[in-house]
């Protein structure tokens, strides 16, 4: 029979592993986006997609990070490892889960959920700030793919009939 000291040691080991799995191993410094920076992203997407009135703001102020920090967050995050379950944990749940998880863990809320009815798909829009330059990317939370609007595969990211929840 295993002694108590060995059992306690194993439990401590597993607790440490679990903690490292759930708690980010690094700190970040989110920056606040100005209203004009946010508006420039909205305007650019509306211009490129020839749409309007499809944005829904959920917050008053938005916070983000730079591209390199966001890539570290993607590497740490486990959303892409979740099991796809039709209707229960499918594309819209992946996108909402990622948005919520990053807001809770890192205080970053400049991540939107795109409900793209033209492709029957949901995914994220990520607004980042590198120095003084604001950039936005589409993000597929099921596979950790980050790409520009121009790089998107229009079969899955058509953005013709869509809504953005920011």
């Amino acid at each position: 029979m295993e002694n108590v000291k060995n059992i306690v040691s194993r439990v401590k080991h597993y607790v440490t592993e679990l903690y490292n799995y759930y708690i980010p191993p690094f700190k970040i410094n989110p920056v606040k986006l100005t209203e004009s920076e946010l508006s420039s992203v909205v305007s650019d997407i509306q211009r490129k997609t020839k749409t309007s009135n499809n944005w829904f703001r959920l917050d008053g102020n938005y916070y983000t990070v730079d591209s390199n920090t966001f890539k570290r967050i993607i590497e740490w995050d486990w959303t892409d490892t979740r099991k796809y379950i039709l209707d229960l944990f499918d594309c819209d749940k992946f996108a909402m889960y990622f948005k919520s998880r990053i807001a809770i863990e890192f205080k970053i809320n400049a991540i939107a959920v795109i409900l793209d009815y033209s492709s029957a798909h949901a995914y994220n829009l990520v607004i980042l700030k590198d120095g003084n330059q604001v950039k936005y990317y589409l993000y597929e939370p099921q596979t950790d793919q980050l790409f520009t609007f121009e790089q998107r595969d229009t079969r899955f990211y058509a953005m013709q009939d869509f809504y953005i929840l920011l």
Side-chain angles (χ1 to χ4, degrees):
M1 187 159 174
E2 193 173 10
N3 70 33
V4 174
K5 188 174 182 178
N6 287 340
I7 293 171
V8 169
S9 178
R10 277 197 6 244
V11 168
K12 182 179 176 186
H13 170 75
Y14 291 130
V15 167
T16 301
E17 280 189 7
L18 189 59
Y19 178 86
N20 291 336
Y21 186 70
Y22 280 97
I23 305 300
F26 53 90
K27 299 286 183 202
I28 64 153
N29 295 311
V31 296
K32 185 177 175 181
L33 291 168
T34 67
E35 199 57 38
S36 65
E37 289 169 332
L38 193 60
S39 294
S40 72
V41 171
V42 172
S43 297
D44 193 57
I45 291 174
Q46 288 177 336
R47 181 182 54 77
K48 289 177 179 176
T49 60
K50 299 175 178 63
T51 61
S52 63
N53 298 323
N54 58 347
W55 282 77
F56 299 96
R57 286 182 70 150
L58 304 176
D59 296 307
N61 295 303
Y62 290 90
Y63 299 87
T64 191
V65 290
D66 61 84
S67 301
N68 289 332
T69 302
F70 190 73
K71 287 175 185 172
R72 286 183 70 197
I73 291 169
I74 291 171
E75 288 173 16
W76 170 81
D77 176 63
W78 69 67
T79 301
D80 61 307
T81 68
R82 300 292 307 253
K83 183 179 178 183
Y84 181 98
I85 304 170
L86 183 64
D87 294 330
L88 300 175
F89 202 88
D90 52 4
C91 60
D92 58 314
K93 280 38 150 234
F94 271 90
M96 288 185 271
Y97 180 79
F98 181 77
K99 175 181 177 42
S100 299
R101 179 166 160 70
I102 302 310
I104 292 165
E105 294 297 335
F106 295 101
K107 311 295 185 255
I108 298 170
N109 63 344
I111 298 173
V113 173
I114 299 179
L115 303 173
D116 191 340
Y117 291 96
S118 49
S119 344
H121 190 39
Y123 43 94
N124 297 105
L125 170 80
V126 178
I127 303 171
L128 303 174
K129 188 171 182 178
D130 289 319
N132 291 325
Q133 189 176 17
V134 174
K135 302 175 183 180
Y136 66 90
Y137 298 90
L138 300 179
Y139 176 68
E140 178 55 70
Q142 295 180 64
T143 60
D144 279 353
Q145 291 178 295
L146 188 67
F147 46 92
T148 65
F149 177 87
E150 291 75 19
Q151 294 170 326
R152 79 192 193 286
D153 182 337
T154 56
R155 292 174 299 166
F156 305 108
Y157 314 97
M159 295 183 78
Q160 294 171 357
D161 178 19
F162 66 100
Y163 295 93
I164 298 179
L165 307 175
L166 184 62

